[in-house]
Structures are given as C-alpha cells and as structure tokens.
C-alpha cells in the first residue's frame, strides 16, 4: 500500500486488505512473504534487524499480528498455533488460587481446558449464564480475576452485554476477555465496548477457508500485552509462517464473507423458524431471540451461526444431519462452505451431559455454520434432509 496511507485510520474494509502489510522491501512482492526461517543473521551479538529467533518474533506472524490488532481496534496483537493456545495463554497469565467466572455456554474445548487442565494447577472456575448480569455478580468472589465471555456463544448463540459486564468487572478489578470467534471484529469490537482482551480461533472466520488452525489475542493494555508476549515466547505455542500467511490472506475478504454469511443465515433462520418440523431456532437476528435487542446494539450484524432443535426424538436429529448434501457433517465453522454438526456428540462432547443440559444445550441440538453458497440451495438442502429424516 502507499506509504502515506495511515491504515489504522482507514475504514474496516481498507484495514482488512492492508493493515500490517507493506510490500516486501527486498523485492516489492505485494503479498507478505512466507519467511521459512527459524533464525536471523546478526552483525554482532544482539545487533540485528529486529528479528533474532522465530519463536520470539517472526515477520509473517508480525504482519498478521498487526493486521488483527488493527481489525479489533487494538494496539497489540499476538498469534498462536490454535484458538485453544490463545485461550490457554490468557489463563496462564493468572496465578494458582485465582478464580474465573465463565459463560456456561461455550466451546467444549474451552470448558475442557479450564476444568481438566487449569483446575489441576489450583485455578477455580464458575460457569454461569453471562447473559444474566445478576448471575455474574453473584458468582464473583474476592478471588475472581477474570471474566470469560463468548458472545454470541457456542452453540446456543446467547448474547452477553460486553459493556455492562465490563463495567461490573472493572469495578471489582476483574479482567474481561471476550472470545470473538463467532462475531469476528467485522461484527463486534469487544475492546471498544470495554473488554480488556479479545481471543480468537483464527481457524474459523478469520482464516475463512477451513485450511488452517490458529489463534490470536488482541489488547490495548501494554502491561497485559507484555505479560502475554512473554508467555507467547516462554511457552512457545506459536503458529507457523504458512499458517500466518493463510490467515492474513483470509482477513482480506473478511468483511465480504461476513456480509454473505449473515444474509444467508438470516434467510435460513427465518425459514426454519416457520418450519412445522422445527421445535426451536437460536439465531440472534430473529426478533424472538432473547438477546436480539442487545445484539443489535453491540453488533453490526448477527453472523453466520444458527442452532436449532427438530421435533421428534434424538434419532431423527441424528438421521437428519447425515442427509444433507450441500451442508457437510463436520466439526468447526466459519469457512466459506456450509457445515452441519451435533454439538452434544461432537464439539461439546467434553462437557458432562448434566452441565450441558443445565446450560440449555439439548441432546438433539443441531448446529449450522452457514457458508457463502446460494441461500436457496442451502434452504432446499435442509428441507430435503428434514423431510427424509
Ligand atoms: O480449534 P481451535 O482453533 O483451537 O479453537 C478453539 C475454539 C475457541 N473458541 C471458540 C468459540 C471455538 O468455537 C473454538 C473451536 N470450535 C470448534 C472447533 C467448533 O466446531 O465449535
């Protein structure tokens, strides 16, 4: 991009394409090179071009870190080898004895790392419905150091009030981290709403093409950044150069893809909500969704994720998800292609059934990651699968 352009003052679409990236100084290559190098030659000990070792700092990763920071409206970005590595690094900044209040509808792997890994190191977690501010207030103890939010949540698309919860948390000196994977920075900017940290699985919409696993954290707080940057280097859960390149290529079209994901999801949610074989539809774009008004306030659009319950028994739901032809039965989300899944046995299988049911995640719940295909084809595919199940 032209040197006189200030990417961070530019609008989202311009930042998506350009932020963090300059033509390669050696060749003029417009695309950020995939620097396949683990180390850098120094003129004298400690005298180098800013790069000493690739776990610590890497040029392709740095471009992605700057790009994601810009998209989230943050000063500092840090990239990781997976979304779980990003989440883990945030929790690693806490100490044994600290308490975390977390949403109770969240990615199963996040629940698993909190309870099966970090509880062994003396951290404690309370899982509550964070769309209810009073429930959060009640769960806070003098030891609470972090409020962990997913909004919209996975898989029930619950909406939590980032601004109000940040005010509550900050009044008690508690940090707020928002997993913004479902919304993406195009639809929601948690830092502007008061959160301290944004976490991502870049595997999903940021990468956008189901060809990479990655994670990221963005913050405006220098002290927090320094702590997390130390952990990124000390623990070493970094992404490889090719993975960084793929996510960087993905973010260039994030705004375009999110518009289509949202348009398609809205049409499908409306269709399903009128369908006589459907018992329940969870989509924040529907006026009947309890978080609809809040989602309208804190998001630019409602995103591409939907979950629903079919009428009838679990077997019918399990049959239906194997009958689609355009939607593929698979874990993950956020790619250009549509996916269908069964959270209770797939993405959320690591949450005990009792906990799942308490959070409202029914055994028969079906989750859709709506892609960017033709909406009519997607609706016809779902209708045919429901009819044949
Ligand atoms: O898979 P990984 O890149 O490590 O990201 C973990 C993660 C974190 N946060 C949210 C909200 C997520 O949905 C995920 C991963 N989720 C799936 C694989 C899934 O199908 O829900």
């Amino acid at each position: 991009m032209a040197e006189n352009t200030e990417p961070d003052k530019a609008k989202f679409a311009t930042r998506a394409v350009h932020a963090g990236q300059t033509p390669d100084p050696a060749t003029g290559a417009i695309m950020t090179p995939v620097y396949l190098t683990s180390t850098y030659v120094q003129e004298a000990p400690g005298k180098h071009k800013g790069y000493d070792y690739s776990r610590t700092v890497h040029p392709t990763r740095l471009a992605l870190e700057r790009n994601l920071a810009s998209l989230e409206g943050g000063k500092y970005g840090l990239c990781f080898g997976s979304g779980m590595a990003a989440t883990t690094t945030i929790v690693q900044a806490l100490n044994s004895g600290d308490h975390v209040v977390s949403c109770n509808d969240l990615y199963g792997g996040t629940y698993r790392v909190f309870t099966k890994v970090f509880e062994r190191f003396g951290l404690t977690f309370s899982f509550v419905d964070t769309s209810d501010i009073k429930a959060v207030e009640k769960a806070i103890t003098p030891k609470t150091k972090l409020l962990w939010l997913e909004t919209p949540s996975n898989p029930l698309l619950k909406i939590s009030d980032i601004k109000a919860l940040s005010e509550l948390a900050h009044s008690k000196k508690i940090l707020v981290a928002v997993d913004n994977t479902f919304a993406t920075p195009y639809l929601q900017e948690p830092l502007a709403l008061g959160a301290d940290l944004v976490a991502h699985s870049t595997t999903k919409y940021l990468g956008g093409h189901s060809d990479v696993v990655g994670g990221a954290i963005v913050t405006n707080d220098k002290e927090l950044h320094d702590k997390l940057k130390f952990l990124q280097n000390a623990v070493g859960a970094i992404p490889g150069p090719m993975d960084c390149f793929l996510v960087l290529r993905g973010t260039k079209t994030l705004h375009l893809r999110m518009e289509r994901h949202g348009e398609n999801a809205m049409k499908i949610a409306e269709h399903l909500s009128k369908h006589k074989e459907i018992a329940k539809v969870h989509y924040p774009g529907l006026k009947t969704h309890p978080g609809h008004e809040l989602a309208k306030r804190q998001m630019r659009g409602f995103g591409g994720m939907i979950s629903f319950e079919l009428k009838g028994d679990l077997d019918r739901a399990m049959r239906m998800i194997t009958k689609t032809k355009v939607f593929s039965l698979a874990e993950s989300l956020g790619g250009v292609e549509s996916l269908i899944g069964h959270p209770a046995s797939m993405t959320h299988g690591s949450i005990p059934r009792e906990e799942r049911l308490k959070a409202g995640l029914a055994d028969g719940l079906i989750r859709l990651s709506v892609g960017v295909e033709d909406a009519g084809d997607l609706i016809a595919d779902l209708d045919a699968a429901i009819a044949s199940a």
Side-chain angles (χ1 to χ4, degrees), residues 232-312:
Q232 183 196 41
N233 183 50
V235 178
I238 50 152
M242 188 65 203
D243 294 350
C244 293
F245 174 86
L246 287 171
V247 178
L248 201 50
R249 184 169 69 169
T251 59
K252 288 180 190 291
T253 55
L254 179 66
H255 50 299
L256 305 174
R257 289 183 285 107
M258 291 316 291
E259 286 289 341
R260 178 62 82 89
H261 283 297
E263 276 168 31
N264 281 357
M266 192 70 219
K267 286 179 189 160
I268 291 172
E270 276 173 349
H271 178 78
L272 292 178
S273 65
K274 289 181 210 133
H275 198 296
K276 61 181 191 336
E277 297 300 328
I278 303 284
K280 226 183 238 178
V281 181
H282 304 276
Y283 184 65
L286 294 175
K287 288 195 178 73
T288 50
H289 187 288
H292 178 66
E293 287 304 320
L294 173 57
K296 265 197 339 203
R297 279 206 304 281
Q298 76 179 14
M299 298 175 75
R300 191 207 287 246
F302 306 106
M305 298 300 296
I306 299 174
S307 56
F308 65 96
E309 287 173 45
L310 263 183
K311 286 183 183 162

Side-chain angles (χ1 to χ4, degrees), residues 81-85 87 107 110 150 154 179 181-182 200-204 213-215 330-333 347-348 367:
S82 66
M84 288 318 305
T87 301
Y107 173 54
T110 306
E150 246 184 45
N154 182 0
D179 183 332
T181 298
F182 269 34
H200 274 284
S201 167
T202 59
T203 316
K204 311 297 172 352
V213 172
E331 306 234 358
S332 203
L333 59 111
T347 51
H348 294 70
R367 193 187 73 178

Side-chain angles (χ1 to χ4, degrees), residues 101 130 132-140 147 161-176:
V101 175
T130 51
D132 175 1
I133 295 181
K134 289 217 165 67
V136 174
E137 203 164 8
K138 236 169 97 185
I140 290 172
L147 174 61
D161 189 333
I162 299 172
K163 187 162 183 277
L165 287 167
S166 297
E167 280 164 15
L168 167 68
H170 292 161
S171 75
K172 297 176 190 287
K173 298 200 165 22
I174 296 166
L175 291 174
V176 178

Side-chain angles (χ1 to χ4, degrees), residues 141-162:
T141 76
K143 292 192 166 168
T144 309
K145 291 290 179 328
L146 177 69
L147 174 61
W148 182 268
L149 303 174
E150 246 184 45
T151 179
S153 62
N154 182 0
L156 290 170
L157 288 313
K158 286 192 182 172
I159 306 294
S160 297
D161 189 333
I162 299 172

